[in-house]
Amino acid sequence: MRESPENLNTQAIELAQQGNYPEAIACFKRALSLERYNHLLWFNLGITYRDAGDLQNARRALEKAYAINSDDDDIIETLAIICYSIGNYDEALAYCTEGIDKNPSNAHVWNTIGVIYFNRSEYALACDAFEQAVSINPYYYDALYNLRDTYEELGNTAGVEQCKRQMRHISPDGKHHA
């Protein structure tokens, strides 16, 4: 079988799914030596580093993916979450803001913005972001869960109850129940 970036990418993903991160990372690096400006390879390398618990290398790989393709929602969102995870809330918020500027209907990025504000105890801003996420996708369980917690912080008991009602009709995987 001819060694190609596509084949190496597939092999690396399979290795990562089996938890064999060092070999997966080596595969991605080999693929990148053949195709240096492939944002998907950099993105997958970043995800693999993240899953292996190496957030600094995850961030570096995702920044390279972003430099190649700054319009990809998944890259922006994942980069924001990595920045958030390492405690760089301002940078995470900057990536989220850019992501929303490019795609205002991305419920996941709105939810990430809400999480950042919630963890800064900026509940009114968190509430706005979670409400935006839920207005885009009323079946987005994580955003409803976060909105419920934010309403609790703000003392909005009617909002808490509304979120609970909505959450009862969907499962955490986003499936709607009658």
Side-chain angles (χ1 to χ4, degrees):
M1 178 167 72
R2 194 177 145 267
E3 191 174 75
S4 71
E6 294 81 17
N7 290 339
L8 288 164
N9 183 56
T10 300
Q11 184 181 357
I13 290 169
E14 289 169 3
L15 288 164
Q17 287 172 339
Q18 297 164 8
N20 194 340
Y21 301 119
E23 282 191 41
I25 289 166
C27 263
F28 283 126
K29 287 181 176 180
R30 176 72 185 127
L32 283 161
S33 74
L34 300 172
E35 203 170 291
R36 193 104 188 114
Y37 297 101
N38 183 324
H39 73 278
L40 184 60
L41 291 173
W42 283 111
F43 176 75
N44 289 340
L45 176 61
I47 294 295
T48 303
Y49 273 127
R50 178 202 67 194
D51 292 350
D54 185 346
L55 297 183
Q56 293 302 330
N57 276 322
R59 179 180 177 177
R60 280 191 275 282
L62 289 164
E63 285 172 341
K64 289 185 180 177
Y66 177 78
I68 297 165
N69 183 357
S70 63
D71 291 328
D72 186 297
D73 282 353
D74 291 331
I75 294 171
I76 292 169
E77 180 186 357
T78 306
L79 197 45
I81 291 169
I82 294 293
C83 288
Y84 169 79
S85 297
I86 59 178
N88 194 333
Y89 295 165
D90 290 338
E91 201 165 343
L93 206 49
Y95 280 118
C96 286
T97 301
E98 184 175 337
I100 291 302
D101 287 346
K102 292 176 181 187
N103 182 3
S105 63
N106 187 324
H108 290 275
V109 174
W110 280 111
N111 185 62
T112 301
I113 291 170
V115 168
I116 294 166
Y117 282 134
F118 187 92
N119 282 288
R120 286 180 162 182
S121 300
E122 297 178 47
Y123 301 118
L125 292 171
C127 183
D128 290 343
F130 293 135
E131 285 175 344
Q132 191 68 36
V134 170
S135 74
I136 294 165
N137 180 358
Y139 302 107
Y140 187 3
Y141 190 90
D142 289 350
L144 278 167
Y145 184 95
N146 292 332
L147 181 58
R148 182 203 63 196
D149 288 355
T150 306
Y151 282 155
E152 284 177 352
E153 290 293 333
L154 294 170
N156 180 346
T157 54
V160 170
E161 291 309 311
Q162 176 63 33
C163 288
K164 286 179 181 178
R165 278 193 297 281
Q166 280 181 257
M167 289 166 63
R168 278 194 287 274
H169 296 289
I170 53 175
S171 60
D173 62 5
K175 302 264 191 297
H176 178 71
H177 300 293

